[in-house]
Each structure stands twice: as structure tokens, then as C-alpha cells.
Amino acid sequence: MSSTLGVLSDAERLFIVHGVQDDLRSDGRACEDYRHVQVETDVVSNTSGSARLRLGNTDILVGVKAEMGEPDPGRPKEGKLEFFVDCSANASPEFEGRGGEELAIEVSNALQRIFNSRSTLDLTALCIIPEGQCWVLYVDVLVLECGGNLFDAVSLAVKAALFNTRIPTVVVTADDEGQQEIELSDDPYDVKRLDVDNVPLIVTLSKIGHRHVVDASWEEELCSLARLTVGVTQKGTIAGLNKEGSGSLDPESIYEMIESGKKVGMVLNSRLKEALEKEENSKREKIGFLG
Amino acid sequence: MKEVPMSTCEREFILKAIRDRKRIDGRQTYDYRRLKVSFGMERGCCIVDLGDTKVLAQVSGKIEEPKKNRPTEGSIIINLELSPMASPAFEPGRPTESGIEMNRILERNIRDSRAVDTESLCIVAGEKVWSIRADVHVLNDEGNIMDAASIAAITALSHFRRPDVSVMGEEVTVHSPEDRDPVPLSVHHMPVCVTFAFFDQGEFLLVDPNRSEERVMDGRMVVGMNMHREICTLMMSGGMLLVKEQVLRCSQIATVKVAEIIELIQRALDKDAQARQAGEKCGFAESVPTNKITTNRKEATAIDTTAAAQQASQVIQEAGPVDKPMSNMLVQAPGTVQIGEGLVNTWDVDDEDMESEEKEGREKSVTNGREAVATSKPTERKRPVKAGEGTVSHAEGSDSEEEETVMLFQGDDETKSTEEPDSTALMQPSNSDKPAKKKGKKKKAAQK
Amino acid sequence: MAGLEIISDQGYRIDGRRSSELRKVCARMGVFTQADGSAYIEQGNTKALATVYGPHEVRKGRGKIQHDRAVVNCQFSMATFSTGERKSRPKGDRRSQEMSMHLRQTFEAVIVTELFPRSQIDIYVQILQADGGNYCACVNAATLAVIDAGIPMKDYVCACTAGFIQDSPLLDISYVEESAGAPFLTVAMMPKSEQIVLLEMNSRLHADNMEKVLDLATQGCKDVFAVLDRHVRDHVSESHALMTAS
């Protein structure tokens, strides 16, 4: 995955590895520190919910569109969530045409994995008519700039966008002929919100040398031998685990990495929630990309 | 396959001609090539010949479900195929950028300008509508596919008849052509594209560029217009910069051209309708004229030679008095005259030197004249060696100096010696005057 | 759209503008740090993002190298959530390919490519929200991005749409007005020399009205140029102030 983003000289590599050994990274952070995160919701107007997130140099824009559709035959009383990731050519000339598809599929699969479990999001709230109609949420992720740690940024942005999603309330009335009619309320404030408290966030831990770091920049990603992506919820439960990279990991180090991932993940979750609530209450003028 | 690149000479020639307001095929700047529209046996099939550019359009209809957001409208699909049959530059498979652009222009011209009424294509709202598809195939590309394709598409759509459909409550019956006459599509207007080619950053413009003019042009503008002077589509691109006045001028020219073209299309449609009604045979086989050679028939074009005649008379007048004719003329052969004997050889080569060189040449038996004389002085190359002992003779019939085959004979002195005086007489003029050398050899070949 | 008047009796359009008023234009240069040049523009509700990479070595396809000039490569893509109805294919369909080609032709005519032989300039444009005038927003954003990247151009390229509804020409068509089926003309031009780089027209327009609409579009382009120019000058003086202050 990281091969798409440039090359690193041996001297630089050594510099980074040695720095990490001493708990000092190139930009001055400690091994478990995140870069500065900026999040803003409701940036795109013709979506049901949207969010823009900037994590260091990584820029992600997520739009959620709610449309009515038929539920899965195996889960008739639940709504659906569909993910689509588009790596824009803005991020790198190599994503032009179909170049970004591989990376997009990886990210999309990671998202599917963490949202797979029942306890993540209450999909029964999205049901309109059991076995008839339900809300299908199309979550579209647009990767605008890639400066390392794509998975974390994407999951943060998706959580923020889902927090921001407003689904119009529906009233189901029975027609004269027994047909059910669905009425959407026109009031923009009569909306349903999703409960995203249990949505996990992905924390990527990269193994560099003998230690591991959280939120690797793209130079650090190129030095890492193996990566562990952990989905962590607010309460500290693990929602998904995946090991990537060609290097091998010792079971001990895996355990250590999971522990530190849990710690970091819980903090991340609570901070994000604070920030989102503050933003919603603040009524500030939307800046979007202009700021 | 890549196209054969155009040479700079050809490019410059065409550009210069255009700057002098002349076109290679003799047309005026606003003239179209000969336009011929013919129809096939089936309804909706039409071939358009614009000069040598040949385009075939075929219209077909199918009953389908309508789009969700437009339940009472049928659909029109226009598909342009640039097959390798038209030109080796077209590759099979994915369409090129220019192919996509032309397809989009055709679509916009006919579909977005609502030339054909889509509401009348509806059978049962929300369930069944007609989906009309026009496939345009380019059979030969000799420039200006755009115009030919647009003419073909709209003519085919006007020519097409779809089966009649009757709706009785819930039942829909599609009548076969024998049952009820097929119904024409409702064509509101006929939009036709006119292509303008620009040269020299918009200073010169031509209508209906042919293949070579297209390759030399800076950029082009396509104006789609109908009889009512409404512009249906306008597309200018190709990295060229234009001013507003040029755009307006083009639209005025287009008005005139479109009127002519639509008249021609109407006539062709009427003729075909009459022929079908009278029960005459119609179709491509009939439209091919009999008793005529079908390949490369060129129309006679009047060429204005007054300018050339004037120039010729001017040249004659300006030419000085002719010198008195030479007295010592020797007629060598019909059409060839020798005047004088030329000058003495100034190449400073003695006979003795030539003999020694010849010995060296003989030691290597070579067939390539160039190699043999490489050992000798370079001046010798163009000069056949004459010597007493052996002779070096040229291969007969070979005019090219480089490909001379030098054969070394031995013991042929007697036979050859008789020819020597001949060769000496001939060789002298050719020695002094290089351009005349070839003539010298030709003379010899002719004599032999 | 029956019952919705494009122009009310008092001469106001649906969004409250007069017939020859542009939508509000907000722009920002240097949005991304990793690209050589980037810009973001908002024209009313249409939002476009452009990035420029280059000039760099020609990467894919050695056949594209030109010995005397740079190759300009453009890609146009619309985000899936940009339109009212979700778009399933962000790029690769015919309309996007056509737009990419037009962008490329536009910028090939304007960028001084002779200064960079054997190299490639990439221009990528992304539409984040589509509300009419997509191509124009792309061209304007790309102009700013090319300026941000420091690539020399002959002049700015500004684009604007003008339509003709109910016998009066309108400037800067929004999506609602576009879908009402009226003809509209898209013009991309170089404002100082008034030379048209690209001209595209949809639907039917009578030839007599052509001049009026073209004039209005030209005026619109000049107005857009005024806004962009002021913005670029502000941006440059700001950056200069930051650099000299430290």
C-alpha cells in the first residue's frame, strides 16, 4: 500500500528508526501521539450528512446519502449501509484513472469489517416497512490528500459524517386498498439522528524497529515492517483486527500493540465526541475548504 | 495502427494554397463536396456520401421500460462507430477521444435539441416505451465525418418507420408491417452540423475540410443548425483562439449551407418515397448507377487558367532576345543534341596513373563498383577507366551511378577496343559536366 | 418544473439574482500541501477543487513525450455525493471523458508549454457539489491551481455560462435553470485579449439571439476574471508578507 507514495533513502530510514527507538519521532511527537486533527461537519449541502477531516496531511471528505430501498432478504427488519471509497487523483497522480482502485478496495473492506457486527450501529432504526422498504445509507468516502495513516482518518471521518447524518422522519399510513404509503416529512428539523456512540474507530499501529508507533506519517509508513489495524470502540472493546505488511510480528508484540491501541482508541473516541458536540452547539459559520 | 505522418512539404503546400484562397481539390472556401444521400431496402437505413467520405446510419426500435425519472418519454440513443474499415488510424475497441467527442456532438445535436419527439414514443406510461437507436458507422474517412454523420443520422431517423402499436385497456398489440402500415417518427426539425476548419490562428477558414486539410488545421468549430435558423449545438475546441466576430460569421455561413443541405435531404426523401409508392425497386442496389464505373469517378472542375496564361505571356515578353543559335550541333539520337565538345578534362589525371589503379582493381574481384573504386582516387568513381589492358565496362541499362556494377574482363580487348573511340568521345563531355554524366550513360545505353 | 418560474415578474430569478448577475465567487489557493499547486472555488453552490502536479517527467506511456513542449494531462471527476441523485461512477463515463478532453484542450492552448519540453503537467479537477456551471467552476479552479503551481500561462482562463430563457439572456446558469431545458452557452475565454478558447452550446437557440448571449457570457467571464485576479493578488501579497515577516 505504501509503495504508491514515494521512496525513501536508506539514511532517512535509519534516522526514523533510530528516532523511534528513543521515543522521538521526526516531527517531535511521542510514539503514541496523534497529529493535529481538524474535523468539520455539514460541508456538502445536498447530502444527508457530511464531514471533512484533516489529519496532518491527510484530507478526507465523506458524504452520506440516505435513500429508500429494499432490505436484504436475510435481514428484513434492518436498513443497509453501503461504502464506496474513491481515491481522487488530487491525492497523487498515480490515482489517475483506475490507479487508485486497489487502495480504495482495501479501505472499503476495512470499513465493512468494522461495521459488520450488530452492535456497531443500530440498523433496525433504519427500517421503514419490514420486508418492504428501508433506508439505505450510501457512505461515500473521497480521499483528497494522502499523507499517511489513511485508515484512521477515514474511520474518523465516517464516524463524524454518521453523527451528522439527518434522516427525514417517515410516517407510514395504510392506504384504502391496504397498500402502505410512505410519507416523508418536509420539515428540515423533523429528522432522526443516528446513535454513533458504539461506532469503532480504526487505530493503525506500525511496527518500526522494535517499537510501534501510532498515526504514522507517510515516511514512517515506508519504514514500517508490519501494521496492525485495530477497531476500537468507546468502551475499549475491539471490533476488528487485521495485520498487514510483509513483516512478521511476535505474539508478544501483538499483545502490546493491541493494548496500546485500546488506550489510544478510547481517548480518540472521547475526544472526537467532544469535538463534534461542541461544533454542533456552536453555530459557527461553515468554513469548509476556505479556511 | 498509427497514421502515416504528413510530410512538412505537403503541409506547407496545403497551407500556402489556403493562404492564396485556393484548395487542393479546386473548391471554393465555402463549397461542400458532392453530397449524395441514398437509402437501403429497409426503412431507416441510409448511406451518405460526402465526396469520398461514406457514412451509413441504421435506425432500429425496441420496446423497453422507461427510465424511472421520466416515465412518459421514450429514449433516443445515438451511437457512432469509427471502425478500422474507415481509416487505419482507427483502432478497434475503445473509442478514441475524438470519437467520443463526435458522438457527444451528435447526441447533443439530435437528442438535446429535441429533434425527435420522445413523448410520442410512449406506449404505456411507466411501463412500455419505444427506445429508438441510431447506429452510425463510418465506412470511409476522407475528412469531415461529423457533417456526414449528422446528415446520415437525421435522414435515417426521418426515413425510419416504427411498427404501429395499439393499446386496448391493459393489452398492447404490436402490429406487424403487413397488418398496419408502420408509423414514422415525429421529427420536429432537422439539425445538421456544419464543420469549419481554421488555419493560421483563425485567419482563414474552410467549410467541409477533407482529410489532408483536417490534418493541417489548427482547430475546428462545429455548428449544428436547422431550417429555422436555430442553433442546435455549437462546439469549438482544439486549442485554438477565436474572437466573437468569427463565431458570428460562421453561424451566418452555416445558415446558408444548412438550407442547401436540408433541401437536398428533402429531395432525396421525397424521391425515395415516390419510388416506394410506385412499387419500384429501391435500395442500395438500385441507387448504384448502372453502366458507369463505380470507382474513382471524378467530376470535371473548371480551372481558371487566365492567371496562368497571363503569367506565361508576361514571361515571354520579359524574356530577352534569344541568342543566335549554335552552329555546331550534332544530333545523337531523337531528342538529344550535342553542342560542342566540352572542355578539357581538368581533373589532372594521367593515363599512367589510371593503368596502375586498374591493376589494383583487378586483383580484387568485386561486383560492387563502389568498392572497387574505393581503392582508387575518389574522382575515379564517376569516371570509367579506360586502358589498354583491361576494360572496365558499365552494367547495361543501369542509370544510377551508385549501383554501377563494375565487371572486369580479361582478354576482351579486341572486342572492346572497337568501342573505345565511342566511349572516349562520349566520356569527355560527361567528365567536365557532372549533371550531364547521367545523360552520357543514358546515351550509351540507348545506343547499345 | 411546472409552475416554477425561472424569472419572476419583477425580474428576479429563483435564487434572487437579476438576469445579468453572477453567483458569489469564493476562492482559495494552496489548499493542499503535497500537490505542486491547488485551488478551491465556490460559485454559488457549485464547489470545485483542482490540483496541479508538474511539470514532471512523463510517467506512463513513453509515446506521449513531445520533444518541444509539455504534455498536458487532465482528469475530471465528480464526487458520488455531488449531485442530487447519487452518481454511481465518479469518472470514466462519456460525459467525464468529454469534460477531461475539453479541459485539456483549453489548457494546452493557454499554458506556455514550449518552456517545458519532454515533460508532463497533470491537472486534476474534482467537483464536490454540482449546482450548474460545473465546467466553468473547473476551469476557474484549474486556472488558480496552475497559477499556484507557478506554471506560466499566456493569460487567465475564465469560464462562464449564459442562457436564454423567456426571451432574455441570463448569466451564470444554476442547475435548476439548466434542467428547465433552456439553451445555454458555455464560454471559456482569455479576458484581456477577449479570445475564446472553448465554446459549447446545448439545446436550441435562434441564430439572431446568439450575439446577445455571447456578449453576456463574455461580460460574465470578465467579471469572473476581476474576482480571481483580486484574489490572486491578495494571496500573493499575504504570502509575501508572511515570508518577509519571519
Side-chain angles (χ1 to χ4, degrees), chain B residues 59-66 73-77 121-123 127-135 160-163 165 174 185:
Chain B
V59 178
S60 53
K62 207 165 65 158
I63 300 188
E64 276 182 353
E65 260 188 37
E73 285 184 16
S75 61
I76 308 232
I77 301 170
L121 296 174
C122 177
I123 305 170
E127 283 173 32
K128 289 197 204 300
V129 293
W130 280 106
S131 165
I132 305 286
R133 188 194 167 89
D135 283 294
F160 180 64
R161 302 278 181 269
R162 61 170 176 82
V165 175
V174 179
L185 298 174

Side-chain angles (χ1 to χ4, degrees), chain B residues 285-298:
Chain B
E286 290 307 309
S287 65
V288 171
T290 50
N291 296 329
K292 284 184 187 157
I293 302 169
T294 50
T295 53
N296 281 337
R297 175 169 166 248
K298 276 231 163 339

Side-chain angles (χ1 to χ4, degrees), chain B residues 104-396:
Chain B
R104 285 286 305 154
I105 296 179
L106 268 183
E107 270 181 10
R108 281 218 304 271
N109 201 22
I110 294 180
R111 201 171 53 181
D112 293 353
S113 69
R114 276 176 273 269
V116 180
D117 185 25
T118 45
E119 298 245 350
S120 65
L121 296 174
C122 177
I123 305 170
V124 177
E127 283 173 32
K128 289 197 204 300
V129 293
W130 280 106
S131 165
I132 305 286
R133 188 194 167 89
D135 283 294
V136 183
H137 291 260
V138 181
L139 300 175
N140 191 30
D141 177 22
E142 261 304 310
N144 204 7
I145 302 177
M146 195 67 240
D147 292 8
S150 76
I151 296 172
I154 197 62
T155 313
L157 283 167
S158 314
H159 190 246
F160 180 64
R161 302 278 181 269
R162 61 170 176 82
D164 198 7
V165 175
S166 51
V167 184
M168 223 92 71
E170 287 291 319
E171 237 186 67
V172 173
T173 26
V174 179
H175 298 273
S176 64
E178 292 90 52
D179 225 3
R180 279 210 219 167
D181 274 340
V183 170
L185 298 174
S186 68
V187 177
H188 290 309
H189 61 99
M190 292 202 173
V192 169
C193 288
V194 177
T195 305
F196 296 89
F198 289 92
F199 302 87
D200 270 356
Q201 285 304 307
E203 223 184 290
F204 300 99
L205 76 79
L206 294 179
V207 171
D208 188 21
N210 63 15
R211 191 101 191 84
S212 31
E213 285 161 355
E214 260 186 4
R215 292 174 78 173
V216 178
M217 69 184 178
D218 280 341
R220 69 171 167 177
M221 179 155 94
V222 178
V223 180
M225 215 190 249
N226 65 9
M227 275 296 262
H228 313 293
R229 288 195 65 220
E230 286 172 334
I231 302 179
C232 302
T233 194
L234 194 80
M235 167 63 72
M236 191 276 276
S237 59
M240 198 187 35
L241 307 166
L242 282 189
V243 203
K244 188 186 80 169
E245 284 73 30
Q246 289 166 312
V247 174
L248 294 170
R249 192 159 58 110
C250 287
S251 69
Q252 282 162 3
I253 298 167
T255 316
V256 176
K257 291 289 145 198
V258 164
E260 289 171 12
I261 294 175
I262 292 187
E263 214 190 287
L264 195 144
I265 296 177
Q266 278 301 124
R267 261 188 291 146
L269 279 168
D270 290 337
K271 208 169 77 169
D272 181 73
Q274 274 173 7
R276 278 177 201 265
Q277 217 167 18
E280 283 171 17
K281 284 195 272 180
C282 48
F284 292 128
E286 290 307 309
S287 65
V288 171
T290 50
N291 296 329
K292 284 184 187 157
I293 302 169
T294 50
T295 53
N296 281 337
R297 175 169 166 248
K298 276 231 163 339
E299 301 260 335
T301 356
I303 301 176
D304 182 20
T305 50
T306 46
Q310 274 178 357
Q311 208 174 7
S313 56
Q314 225 176 356
V315 167
I316 294 173
Q317 279 173 6
E318 281 170 15
V322 181
D323 296 332
K324 64 172 175 67
M326 304 240 104
S327 44
N328 50 343
M329 286 195 284
L330 250 176
V331 180
Q332 302 284 1
T336 325
V337 156
Q338 182 188 344
I339 302 174
E341 277 198 1
L343 302 170
V344 179
N345 168 30
T346 50
W347 283 12
D348 221 33
V349 181
D350 299 337
D351 283 339
E352 290 169 4
D353 285 341
M354 284 190 323
E355 274 183 8
S356 57
E357 273 143 16
E358 210 218 355
K359 273 190 204 147
E360 282 176 287
R362 240 189 299 150
E363 271 155 23
K364 308 184 200 174
S365 62
V366 288
T367 49
N368 193 344
R370 210 185 281 163
E371 272 175 60
V373 296
T375 53
S376 53
K377 286 189 241 168
T379 50
E380 295 284 275
R381 185 156 78 101
K382 299 214 163 77
R383 202 179 146 218
V385 178
K386 51 180 180 13
E389 289 173 9
T391 48
V392 176
S393 79
H394 305 280
E396 299 192 6

